[in-house]
Amino acid sequence: MENPITVFGIIPTHQPKQAIRIQRFLMASASYALGIALILYFYWQNIFRMALGPLLNFLAFICLTNCLFYVVLRTGLNKKFKDPSLTLPQTAVAVSWLTVVTYFTDEARGLVLSLYLVVFIFGIFRLKMRQFIILAIYAVVSYAAVLSMLLRHHPDSIDLRIEWLQWIVLTTILAWFSLLGGHISRLRNTIDIASKKLEESALRYRELYENMMDIVLLVDREGKIQMANPLFYKETGIDHEQDLSISSEQFVHPGDWHRIRHYIAERFSKKEDVKDLQFRVIKKDQEIADVECNAKCIQKGRKILGYQMVVRDITERKKLEKDLLESYRSLQNARAVTILGLAKLAEYRDQNTGAHLERIREYARIIATALSRNEKYSDYITSEYIEDLYISSILHDIGKVGIPDAILLKPERLTQKEFEIVKCHTTLGGDALKAAEAQIEGQSFLTIGKEISYHHHEKWDGSGYPKGLKGEEIPLSARLVALADVYDALTSDRIYKRAYTHHKAMEILVAERGRHFDPDIIDAFLLHEEDFKAIRSTMRHRGECPSEPDAVIRLDERRINPHYS
């Protein structure tokens, strides 16, 4: 039931602090009304010596000043004073009234003294200790002055011993009450300051909560939304006055609901927070958005009461990531095509090489992927390494652009001098890629390309060129491409020979295990030799491979190039 004075507008409900001040005033006014009733009772009992006219004027003055106090409070004029509730001046006026009443009261003067304590009790609302002491001194001095005036003008109306005893009692009580009231007031001020700081802090956090750029939800254990910030209402189109005891399932995209429900339940069952969980939600107008959610349990003791979730819209970020990925893929494709075109400048000088470069990179990727499953190479051969190897492996013979056609395209066996010139293609290609690599900060695919170009003719036993490296001194990338290059050379037509079958080429490679080739790479090749055979079959040009499977072709030994390729 509402307070009647609130209903009639006496207390401004929209101003809580002002309402409290007026309530205090009305409480004090009630005590004044009791005092006025007591004075009138004294008058009709012939205890009060003041004539009726002056008495009525005095009571009217009390009512008028009280009304003035209310006007000041109700209109808010009191806010400019240090003491916003005017308790100090109101109490001082009340003590003055009591002094006047005490002078005109005879037998009931002791009862009037108790009203001093009532007035001081109302001072607890606001007065400080020094203000209590000032009022106590004022009350004691005023009462002493009244006694002096009575002793002079109406000595027959007082018993001096009793009056001075009452004065001593009043002095003692008001002194102790001032100390007690001041201490209570100090405690109240401390509480007020703490409450004000708490209110300011709550206001700041509320403003932060309401103006956050992310959705904040409080969800119970059943997945019902209990509370949400204004952004949630805005994004979902729900009326904020509506009861939000509805399932969060209504806002999560159906395709993601079961996944995130089980994931969150699993995390919270372990009392672990949810971090960076991505899913889709349905906003107003059936718009679908990508979001990222972070959540934590709200617990009381060991019991989980619910979950606090912060949901951030990452639709734009996902779009940018997608655009960036597509741009990266386009860049990778453009880079691969550019490198392939560059490499083919050297290969086009030999009209019979066909899809040699395309096959080389496929073979190299197969072997590298197989080796990455080997614990010995798992830390070194990453997905990035395989990608760079795939791109750069086709640059292995880029140095052949520096070899004269008369030697490179010669159908007969090369002389020793000619062969030494051909061997220079490794250094020419490696130096060219090294110069290009120097223009790029950090490691790039050219680093692997340079290794391959320099060392793809090195042999495991150290009998290769150009530096005669042995075993693991040879870069892994060069060892991988060496097998891919030789396999393709054996199974492809050249100007100086016909192609071997897959089976024959495999026999030759296995025979070179531990001499020409790294044993681990031969083992990886054997595990995936069917993949090699499939690539050889699908990525060939007409006339490159024999038409009869596993046919052994006799080659004119005079036309076999000593370095296979």
Side-chain angles (χ1 to χ4, degrees):
M1 183 175 179
E2 290 189 88
N3 192 329
I5 59 176
T6 300
V7 174
F8 289 110
I10 297 176
I11 297 177
T13 55
H14 62 287
Q15 298 179 7
K17 290 184 178 180
Q18 193 75 343
I20 292 175
R21 295 168 190 150
I22 294 177
Q23 286 176 348
R24 294 171 180 169
F25 168 80
L26 294 177
M27 291 172 63
S29 298
S31 66
Y32 301 154
L34 291 175
I36 292 172
L38 186 61
I39 291 172
L40 291 174
Y41 175 76
F42 289 167
Y43 178 81
W44 298 117
Q45 295 295 323
N46 296 320
I47 298 175
F48 201 77
R49 288 180 287 100
M50 185 180 290
L52 181 61
L55 175 61
L56 293 177
N57 290 333
F58 176 65
L59 296 181
F61 176 74
I62 292 177
C63 292
L64 178 62
T65 53
N66 219 33
C67 290
L68 289 175
F69 274 123
Y70 175 75
V71 170
V72 170
L73 286 169
R74 190 65 179 83
T75 58
L77 295 176
N78 59 307
K79 293 181 181 178
K80 67 181 181 180
F81 296 110
K82 185 176 180 180
D83 181 9
S85 65
L86 293 181
T87 305
L88 178 59
Q90 190 176 13
T91 308
V93 171
V95 170
S96 300
W97 294 339
L98 286 176
T99 302
V100 175
V101 172
T102 303
Y103 179 79
F104 288 101
T105 304
D106 292 333
E107 290 87 351
R109 193 175 295 114
L111 182 61
V112 174
L113 290 178
S114 62
L115 295 178
Y116 280 91
L117 188 59
V118 173
V119 171
F120 270 66
I121 288 176
F122 284 102
I124 292 176
F125 291 137
R126 184 58 59 184
L127 298 183
K128 298 179 180 179
M129 183 176 293
R130 65 175 180 272
Q131 294 171 324
F132 270 118
I133 293 174
I134 292 172
L135 285 174
I137 293 173
Y138 175 66
V140 170
V141 171
S142 297
Y143 189 77
V146 167
L147 293 181
S148 298
M149 292 175 65
L150 288 173
L151 186 61
R152 181 177 179 179
H153 299 290
H154 303 283
D156 56 336
S157 66
I158 63 172
D159 186 333
L160 188 59
R161 289 184 303 170
I162 295 176
E163 297 296 343
W164 284 116
L165 179 62
Q166 291 177 345
W167 180 83
I168 293 172
V169 171
L170 178 65
T171 302
T172 304
I173 292 176
L174 292 185
W176 280 107
F177 190 85
S178 296
L179 295 176
L180 178 62
H183 179 66
I184 294 173
S185 178
R186 188 165 56 248
L187 291 178
R188 189 197 63 248
N189 287 336
T190 302
I191 295 173
D192 288 345
I193 292 172
S195 298
K196 185 177 181 180
K197 289 182 178 179
L198 182 61
E199 183 180 349
E200 291 175 352
S201 177
L203 180 62
R204 286 197 302 269
Y205 281 110
R206 182 170 184 81
E207 290 177 350
L208 177 64
Y209 172 75
E210 292 181 348
N211 296 313
M212 283 186 68
M213 300 301 292
D214 300 330
I215 292 175
V216 181
L217 300 173
L218 187 63
V219 183
D220 63 18
R221 297 182 63 182
E222 286 72 36
K224 303 288 186 181
I225 298 175
Q226 301 299 316
M227 187 174 68
N229 66 335
L231 183 62
F232 174 79
Y233 306 124
K234 179 181 177 181
E235 294 294 333
T236 59
I238 294 179
D239 184 358
H240 70 280
E241 300 293 338
Q242 178 180 336
D243 181 14
L244 281 181
S245 295
I246 51 179
S247 175
S248 52
E249 181 180 359
Q250 297 183 31
F251 308 103
V252 179
H253 191 280
D256 295 339
W257 170 248
H258 294 289
R259 173 177 63 87
I260 69 166
R261 182 184 62 180
H262 291 305
Y263 176 79
I264 292 177
E266 180 182 358
R267 297 286 293 183
F268 285 160
S269 66
K270 300 176 182 178
K271 296 184 178 179
E272 297 176 349
D273 294 342
V274 173
K275 296 183 178 180
D276 304 330
L277 175 61
Q278 296 185 5
F279 53 92
R280 293 166 295 171
V281 297
I282 301 176
K283 301 165 70 173
K284 62 181 178 181
D285 301 327
Q286 297 301 305
E287 179 186 355
I288 297 176
D290 291 293
V291 299
E292 184 177 80
C293 175
N294 291 278
K296 63 186 304 180
C297 293
I298 299 175
Q299 294 180 263
K300 184 177 182 180
R302 296 184 178 181
K303 184 180 180 181
I304 297 177
L305 302 179
Y307 319 107
Q308 178 180 314
M309 297 183 173
V310 178
V311 181
R312 174 170 297 177
D313 191 329
I314 59 170
T315 304
E316 287 299 319
R317 192 179 87 187
K318 295 286 283 187
K319 183 178 182 300
L320 290 175
E321 289 176 354
K322 183 179 179 181
D323 292 344
L324 180 62
L325 181 60
E326 290 178 354
S327 298
Y328 176 76
R329 287 173 178 170
S330 298
L331 179 62
Q332 290 289 86
N333 291 335
R335 183 179 70 170
V337 170
T338 302
I339 295 169
L340 180 61
L342 178 64
K344 278 188 174 291
L345 287 176
E347 292 296 327
Y348 279 155
R349 299 177 63 199
D350 183 355
Q351 297 179 358
N352 294 321
T353 55
H356 168 65
L357 297 178
E358 289 87 341
R359 292 192 298 269
I360 285 290
R361 65 186 183 184
E362 297 297 334
Y363 296 150
R365 179 155 63 182
I366 289 171
I367 301 173
T369 303
L371 283 180
S372 68
R373 302 187 187 102
N374 187 326
E375 186 176 351
K376 179 180 177 180
Y377 302 97
S378 59
D379 292 336
Y380 185 76
I381 302 179
T382 62
S383 58
E384 291 81 6
Y385 178 90
I386 294 174
E387 183 65 23
D388 287 345
L389 178 70
Y390 180 81
I391 294 173
S392 58
S393 60
I394 60 178
L395 296 172
H396 65 289
D397 278 340
I398 192 69
K400 284 185 177 180
V401 295
I403 307 301
D405 288 348
I407 297 175
L408 186 65
L409 304 179
K410 183 179 179 180
E412 294 85 12
R413 181 187 295 273
L414 299 178
T415 65
Q416 185 62 36
K417 184 178 179 179
E418 291 171 334
F419 184 51
E420 291 300 322
I421 294 175
V422 171
K423 289 164 63 175
C424 290
H425 81 278
T426 58
T427 304
L428 291 173
D431 288 345
L433 295 176
K434 182 178 180 181
E437 181 194 23
Q439 304 301 316
I440 302 175
E441 293 184 4
Q443 190 172 3
S444 72
F445 72 95
L446 290 178
T447 304
I448 295 179
K450 176 188 67 177
E451 294 174 351
I452 294 171
S453 184
Y454 274 135
H455 305 297
H456 69 286
H457 282 296
E458 301 283 3
K459 296 183 179 180
W460 185 256
D461 62 3
S463 62
Y465 64 88
K467 292 187 176 181
L469 300 181
K470 183 178 182 180
E472 294 187 355
E473 294 175 352
I474 307 168
L476 178 61
S477 58
R479 284 180 266 156
L480 288 165
V481 173
L483 184 139
D485 189 31
V486 171
Y487 174 82
D488 193 69
L490 289 173
T491 57
S492 301
D493 284 334
R494 290 291 185 266
I495 193 171
Y496 48 80
K497 75 172 184 69
R498 292 291 306 280
Y500 283 113
T501 64
H502 169 76
H503 182 72
K504 180 64 175 179
M506 188 172 65
E507 288 181 350
I508 294 173
L509 295 177
V510 173
E512 291 295 319
R513 184 180 189 274
R515 291 200 299 267
H516 189 154
F517 304 111
D518 182 345
D520 290 340
I521 292 177
I522 291 293
D523 294 341
F525 164 71
L526 292 175
L527 288 174
H528 296 274
E529 53 96 7
E530 287 297 327
D531 295 329
F532 273 65
K533 185 176 180 180
I535 290 172
R536 171 179 173 266
S537 176
T538 57
M539 299 182 66
R540 69 184 182 186
H541 289 181
R542 184 174 299 176
E544 280 192 283
C545 302
S547 57
E548 301 85 1
D550 297 326
V552 179
I553 299 178
R554 287 280 183 184
L555 300 179
D556 185 353
E557 293 294 324
R558 291 174 301 174
R559 301 178 64 181
I560 298 179
N561 191 300
H563 61 286
Y564 298 109
S565 59

